[in-house]
Amino acid sequence: MIGVFRTLLIIIGLYVVVRFIMNLIYSSSQQSKSAPHTNRTSNHKKSGGSHQNDGDYVDYEEIKD
């Protein structure tokens, strides 16, 4: 009877581990697919140059003394 109980616990444990690994693989693949779309927001201002990846455009005021 103890052997059957131990076998069931092993099967349940393996099932939980496999589900956990599958969830990790699924979430990482979903994250890598959606990563390029989440990097930019609509608030970014583009500079007039042809360089796309120079960084964010910063609007500033010059202070005169």
Side-chain angles (χ1 to χ4, degrees), residues 1-61:
M1 188 68 175
I2 301 276
V4 173
F5 183 68
R6 188 178 356 175
T7 304
L8 286 175
L9 283 178
I10 290 172
I11 291 172
I12 292 171
L14 287 174
Y15 175 76
V16 169
V17 169
V18 168
R19 292 268 311 209
F20 178 73
I21 292 172
M22 293 301 287
N23 283 337
L24 284 177
I25 293 170
Y26 178 73
S27 67
S28 68
S29 68
Q30 289 295 323
Q31 191 175 33
S32 66
K33 286 180 182 177
S34 66
H37 300 294
T38 59
N39 287 342
R40 292 193 177 259
T41 61
S42 61
N43 296 345
H44 283 97
K45 296 179 182 178
K46 292 184 180 179
S47 61
S50 63
H51 303 290
Q52 294 291 330
N53 293 327
D54 284 346
D56 291 334
Y57 177 77
V58 177
D59 192 18
Y60 65 94
E61 286 187 32

